[in-house]
Amino acid sequence: TPTHFNANGTGPVVLTKPSGVAQNDILFALLQNVAAPTGVPSGWALAGYVTETTSATRYMVYWLLAGASEGADYTWTFSSYSRTGGTMVAYRDGFDTTDPIDVVSATNYYTNDTALRAASMIVSAVNSPLIFFGGYHKSSTGLTVTPPTVPTTFTEDVDTWDGTSRKGRHIANVVWTSSGATGTMDATLSAAYDAKGAIAVALN
């Protein structure tokens, strides 16, 4: 079950470990803040980030391979906590636990349209898990997001918006039965918007 953090003006960012996490599960944290963190929990690595200029929000994806004994939660610290959000998810099996990350797509795209876009990436092997992380900053009612259908249809894991943080987040995954260039991966927003960013990760 995904876990979430949302706040305006308070911190640190504490994300609870999803229930049922076991050794060798891979954990991802999608964070939204105006700057990079000043403190990252032990063992977590940055997969990639993008920064959009409309709201100056940085969208960051961190990952951790779960050990035999994990704590109850993980803490990121920032120099500023204005409009901060985060979601943590966990995935199990179907990837190389000794070298989980194959490739990451992290390219800015904040055109005012309905595309929540991660650029094409070159995936090494067939049957690789692909995970899409998207987010947006919206001060009024949130948007709904439809998962990408390229290179194939993704399954939605998270579609959430919070009025306190003004942050929306979308996470989806698929096992792709091909390899090579994925093509542009677009989740679809329910209305045109520009304060947004997306990152995609392929697992080995």
Side-chain angles (χ1 to χ4, degrees), residues 86-196:
T87 291
M88 184 175 292
V89 291
Y91 296 97
R92 179 174 298 168
D93 299 333
F95 61 90
D96 183 355
T97 58
T98 64
D99 184 21
I101 306 296
D102 174 26
V103 64
V104 176
S105 166
T107 303
N108 287 340
Y109 181 83
Y110 40 86
T111 301
N112 187 17
D113 60 17
T114 60
L116 184 55
R117 176 168 294 174
S120 182
M121 58 186 178
I122 305 297
V123 175
S124 300
V126 299
N127 297 322
S128 295
L130 311 182
I131 308 171
F132 179 93
F133 301 90
Y136 60 91
H137 175 97
K138 196 169 190 300
S139 59
S140 56
T141 305
L143 304 169
T144 57
V145 186
T146 303
T149 56
V150 172
T152 187
T153 301
F154 285 64
T155 298
E156 181 179 277
D157 298 316
V158 173
D159 189 6
T160 184
W161 176 83
D162 172 76
T164 299
S165 65
R166 300 180 179 177
K167 304 299 187 189
R169 291 179 295 280
H170 181 81
I171 302 174
N173 84 92
V174 71
V175 175
W176 188 31
T177 57
S178 189
S179 63
T182 60
T184 300
M185 293 162 281
D186 284 350
T188 304
L189 301 171
S190 56
Y193 206 60
D194 60 351
K196 60 190 177 182

Side-chain angles (χ1 to χ4, degrees), residues 5-152:
F5 176 93
N6 295 284
N8 178 23
T10 61
V13 175
V14 180
L15 283 169
T16 303
K17 180 182 67 178
S19 60
V21 166
Q23 185 175 11
N24 291 328
D25 289 354
I26 191 166
L27 307 179
F28 287 99
L30 170 59
L31 304 177
Q32 298 158 290
N33 195 280
V34 295
T38 54
V40 175
S42 177
W44 286 81
L46 179 67
Y49 75 92
V50 296
T51 304
E52 47 85 2
T53 59
T54 303
S55 67
T57 298
R58 178 183 290 229
Y59 304 84
M60 302 158 277
V61 174
Y62 284 84
W63 69 275
L64 170 74
L65 190 71
S69 178
E70 292 291 333
D73 50 49
Y74 307 93
T75 300
W76 282 260
T77 56
F78 293 85
S79 59
S80 170
Y81 293 101
S82 176
R83 309 293 180 189
T84 303
T87 291
M88 184 175 292
V89 291
Y91 296 97
R92 179 174 298 168
D93 299 333
F95 61 90
D96 183 355
T97 58
T98 64
D99 184 21
I101 306 296
D102 174 26
V103 64
V104 176
S105 166
T107 303
N108 287 340
Y109 181 83
Y110 40 86
T111 301
N112 187 17
D113 60 17
T114 60
L116 184 55
R117 176 168 294 174
S120 182
M121 58 186 178
I122 305 297
V123 175
S124 300
V126 299
N127 297 322
S128 295
L130 311 182
I131 308 171
F132 179 93
F133 301 90
Y136 60 91
H137 175 97
K138 196 169 190 300
S139 59
S140 56
T141 305
L143 304 169
T144 57
V145 186
T146 303
T149 56
V150 172
T152 187

